[in-house]
Amino acid sequence: MRKKVLIGLGVILLAIVFIGFGFTKNVEVQKEYEQAMERGMTQTKKCEYQAAKISFQNAAKRKQDDPQAERNIKQLDLYMKAKTALNQQNYDQAKKFFDQAADADHGLNVLVRRSSAYATEIEEAQSQLASFEKIYDEAVECNEEGNYAKSNTLLTSILKYHGIKEQYYDSIYAKAKHLKHENDQFLMPAYPLKSEHK
């Protein structure tokens, strides 16, 4: 009888140890998950996107039944693809990815805000660019007709635009500068004017 009681107590004690260990392990895993998520959020705010992705991947490994880390990774991927497309001046693709990152379900607010801002900026730049292309085409026509002064006047609205040095306008800026240089060659007097003072 005593032997059975001792065995029973031993089994109960062993069960308590395992339950306690399991509980401690769960608490530890939860803590690691929360730390990884917090680290990922901080890195995202600091624009350290690749590091943030690694942190969220670590969080996802710790707690596989929570989809938030996976959602953050997906949104980060879209945002990084958008930034790459933007740097390659593929504006249509960049806007598409920024829109998707901004609309991500339960996404990171900081990425929603940044993505929305970029998408709006691209849309405005594309609209401005379309306007500049029309002005440039008109300036080319004036150049071909020999009306170089009018061509330059049209080009001024492109070249003096406050944001013309932004990457969106690289191509139109280069074309407008080249055409103005061409116009200026025809507008220069053939001989320098003589000074009235001797």
Side-chain angles (χ1 to χ4, degrees):
M1 182 74 176
R2 182 186 279 179
K3 193 175 178 184
K4 285 184 179 178
V5 171
L6 288 174
I7 290 171
L9 286 173
V11 168
I12 291 168
L13 187 62
L14 201 57
I16 289 169
V17 168
F18 277 117
I19 290 168
F21 176 77
F23 178 76
T24 304
K25 188 70 178 163
N26 283 344
V27 169
E28 189 180 311
V29 167
Q30 179 65 24
K31 188 177 177 184
E32 288 172 356
Y33 166 82
E34 287 170 6
Q35 286 173 341
M37 289 291 280
E38 197 173 315
R39 194 166 48 251
M41 289 286 293
T42 302
Q43 289 162 330
T44 302
K45 286 176 186 172
K46 290 180 178 178
C47 303
E48 298 167 358
Y49 302 118
Q50 201 58 51
K53 183 178 175 180
I54 292 166
S55 293
F56 290 132
Q57 285 171 335
N58 287 337
K61 286 175 192 170
R62 300 285 182 280
K63 199 172 177 185
Q64 295 176 359
D65 61 335
D66 187 339
Q68 188 57 53
E70 290 296 341
R71 284 196 289 253
N72 292 354
I73 293 164
K74 188 177 176 186
Q75 187 187 26
L76 266 172
D77 280 338
L78 287 168
Y79 187 81
M80 288 190 289
K81 282 180 187 176
K83 291 282 284 182
T84 299
L86 184 64
N87 292 336
Q88 293 170 347
Q89 299 188 349
N90 187 346
Y91 302 124
D92 289 334
Q93 192 72 24
K95 185 176 183 307
K96 178 183 150 192
F97 285 136
F98 280 130
D99 283 337
Q100 288 174 356
D103 294 337
D105 285 337
H106 305 287
L108 298 165
N109 289 333
V110 65
L111 287 186
V112 169
R113 285 193 305 273
R114 287 176 189 169
S115 297
S116 297
Y118 269 120
T120 301
E121 185 180 293
I122 291 168
E123 196 172 328
E124 288 171 359
Q126 286 179 317
S127 173
Q128 186 64 60
L129 195 54
S131 171
F132 284 160
E133 289 291 352
K134 286 180 185 174
I135 293 168
Y136 175 77
D137 290 344
E138 198 178 334
V140 168
E141 283 179 28
C142 290
N143 169 278
E144 289 169 351
E145 292 165 1
N147 196 344
Y148 307 114
K150 185 177 179 184
S151 180
N152 271 356
T153 301
L154 288 164
L155 292 172
T156 299
S157 63
I158 298 172
L159 295 171
K160 297 289 182 185
Y161 177 65
H162 67 88
I164 196 64
K165 297 287 178 74
E166 291 174 17
Q167 67 178 33
Y168 303 110
Y169 310 113
D170 285 351
S171 175
I172 192 72
Y173 180 59
K175 291 194 299 186
K177 265 177 67 175
H178 178 76
L179 185 58
K180 185 181 184 308
H181 177 72
E182 202 175 289
N183 290 335
D184 290 345
Q185 297 300 310
F186 289 103
L187 291 169
M188 281 181 166
Y191 302 99
L193 294 171
K194 290 180 181 178
S195 172
E196 291 180 10
H197 303 287
K198 291 185 180 180

